[in-house]
Amino acid sequence: MSNYSPSQRVAIVALAFAGTVLDGADFTVFLFFMSPLASHLGVSLLALSTIQASSYLVGIAGGILFGRLADTHGRRVGLCATILVFSAFTLATGFVDSYAALFVMRVLAGIGIGGESGIAFAYVNEAFPGRGQRRGLASGLLQSMFLVGAWLSAWLYRVTAAFGDEAWRWAFGALGAAGLLCAVATFFMPESRVWQERVAAPAGAPAIGLRELLRGPLGRRTLLASALLACSFYGAYAVYTYGPAMWQRVYRLDASTVGEIGMASAILGALSYIGGGLLADLAGRRRAYLYTASLGVFAYATFAVCLWLTRGDAYGAHALRLMVPAYLLLQAGYGYFGVQGVWLSELFPTEVRTTAQNAVYYVGRAIGAGGAPVAGLAAANALGFDVTVAVALGAIGAVGAALLCRTLPETRDLALGEGAKAPR
């Protein structure tokens, strides 16, 4: 297999990391501005949640579309295209004046966001194709860039507060402009050697197409991985989606304090992702997923106990002394995201790797980060509870992730250069 020069490997890693930072920032900045946008547009928090859920849903189509582009025309082309699309519509979001226009821009941006993750993971993992190489650590670091993006969105929320009711316009505009610059730089990246050698290889076994992802043993793997990701996303995004609104609406914290909590959460989450990636190299993909999901179950149990202990405190200072540490502990329970990137890359063959990884990732995200949190908030409201209970319900996802991770095979010793084989 052809080797990369050090500068080529650095270029791939650096720009894949940059794309994931922007993906994370674009994905989470809307969550920080959900409550202000609801007030500005005169709509409910549930209506804004519907926009976010819809963007996750169309992300499935974007994942398949851009994943297929990356599988047929190269990882570089696919990554450049996906960053270009979501950045352009994020920039346009800063100019909307109605709920309908906001809905359209965020949904179109969601199509672009839908392609980034699987392509970036395949790109970085294929840069370290041999046996024994620390793809788990590389994937953990790459996934942590998503939370660097979340930190960036929290920082933007703080600094743009000076613009008052127009703060969200400046935040979306800045992210969109930065993304367009990144898309231009991505176009000049070197192409994946694993992909190039797979394309150049003489015809042998029948090619694996999209239909094979939905039937037979490979279809079973796709289904189980999608269910695992759905639970994993719900375990994380019950918190990501409603955490800022919880601090704003229930605990009445100011923008600066909410931003500080968000920045601290992003740092802790990023460290948990890196830890998950390291554990994946040391203990294997399946055990690492089980251990990190189990920590998430413990963190949710702690959050629920603290919520129960402070139920009569009217969300005062005593409640904050318990709830802030409990909330920050939740950030340590998402370390499985540092495992999923390398595991998914190794579960699927090279010729459909980005398509499969994107399909699994974004189906899981649409269900777990989109539909499940909306259903959780609706259920909490129907039972007379506030958004804190919608956060706590994410425990369902953490439990599901701990159970489902045991159904997928261990892949730590796979060499990507030899090609992941479809299960028979």
Side-chain angles (χ1 to χ4, degrees):
M1 171 164 296
S2 300
N3 292 321
Y4 293 95
S5 70
S7 61
Q8 288 177 322
R9 186 169 277 148
V10 167
I12 288 174
V13 171
L15 285 171
F17 277 23
T20 303
V21 168
L22 291 167
D23 183 359
D26 189 284
F27 192 80
T28 57
V29 71
F30 184 80
L31 305 179
F32 279 98
F33 286 102
M34 276 177 63
S35 187
L37 277 168
S39 300
H40 181 78
L41 298 174
V43 298
S44 68
L45 192 63
L46 189 59
L48 268 294
S49 298
T50 302
I51 292 181
Q52 192 76 342
S54 298
S55 73
Y56 300 157
L57 186 62
V58 299
I60 299 172
I64 294 173
L65 172 66
F66 289 106
R68 199 60 181 163
L69 179 67
D71 281 333
T72 56
H73 290 83
R75 312 315 193 201
R76 176 179 62 87
V77 173
L79 188 60
C80 178
T82 188
I83 295 174
L84 180 65
V85 169
F86 77 69
S87 298
F89 288 110
T90 294
L91 179 62
T93 299
F95 297 93
V96 302
D97 286 309
S98 67
Y99 176 83
L102 179 66
F103 189 99
V104 171
M105 291 301 104
R106 295 314 299 159
V107 164
L108 292 175
I111 295 175
I113 291 174
E116 194 277 337
S117 179
I119 300 173
F121 274 115
Y123 214 166
V124 169
N125 283 318
E126 288 172 359
F128 300 90
R131 296 180 187 273
Q133 293 191 327
R134 292 195 174 276
R135 288 194 297 270
L137 176 59
S139 290
L141 288 167
L142 176 59
Q143 187 66 51
S144 73
M145 292 301 105
F146 187 92
L147 287 183
V148 172
W151 184 95
L152 177 61
S153 64
W155 178 80
L156 278 172
Y157 177 75
R158 286 191 67 200
V159 300
T160 57
F163 295 101
D165 290 342
E166 299 295 304
W168 58 275
R169 297 187 187 276
W170 289 90
F172 283 112
L175 284 178
L180 292 176
L181 291 175
C182 183
V184 172
T186 302
F187 184 76
F188 297 98
M189 290 170 65
E191 186 51 82
S192 163
R193 295 285 190 270
V194 172
W195 178 83
Q196 286 178 327
E197 293 180 8
R198 177 66 185 84
V199 171
I208 298 173
L210 292 178
R211 287 181 294 181
E212 280 69 31
L213 290 178
L214 301 175
R215 64 188 184 189
L218 192 59
R220 179 179 181 274
R221 183 173 292 185
T222 301
L223 179 62
L224 289 172
S226 298
L228 173 62
L229 266 291
C231 290
S232 301
F233 271 110
Y234 188 35
Y237 278 80
V239 180
Y240 287 163
T241 303
Y242 298 123
M246 180 184 77
W247 298 123
Q248 293 160 358
R249 293 195 167 197
V250 177
Y251 293 92
R252 306 293 182 183
L253 299 183
D254 58 60
S256 179
T257 304
V258 173
E260 289 172 359
I261 293 173
M263 291 162 68
S265 297
I267 292 170
L268 291 171
L271 291 175
S272 77
Y273 288 2
I274 296 170
L278 279 170
L279 191 59
D281 284 331
L282 295 173
R285 314 322 190 200
R286 185 162 54 190
R287 284 185 178 178
Y289 217 102
L290 175 61
Y291 297 158
T292 51
S294 297
L295 178 58
V297 174
F298 172 77
Y300 266 112
T302 302
F303 181 85
V305 168
C306 290
L307 190 61
W308 181 80
L309 289 174
T310 59
R311 68 194 187 283
D313 189 40
Y315 305 113
H318 171 65
L320 288 173
R321 280 194 293 268
L322 284 178
M323 292 306 298
V324 171
Y327 181 83
L328 293 177
L329 178 61
L330 286 174
Q331 316 310 315
Y334 314 140
Y336 45 66
F337 280 119
V339 185
Q340 63 85 17
V342 63
W343 204 6
L344 290 182
S345 287
E346 294 167 351
L347 283 171
F348 297 100
T350 299
E351 57 264 47
V352 290
R353 180 167 294 132
T354 59
T355 305
Q357 191 160 351
N358 271 344
V360 167
Y361 188 87
Y362 291 104
V363 166
R365 192 171 80 171
I367 297 170
V374 170
L377 179 60
N381 289 343
L383 294 172
F385 296 112
D386 57 37
V387 71
T388 57
V389 172
V391 173
L393 286 174
I396 298 169
V399 171
L403 295 174
L404 283 169
C405 67
R406 300 172 64 87
T407 65
L408 289 167
E410 179 55 59
T411 58
R412 180 175 54 172
D413 294 329
L414 175 72
L416 290 185
E418 298 171 4
K421 305 299 183 183
R424 300 299 179 189

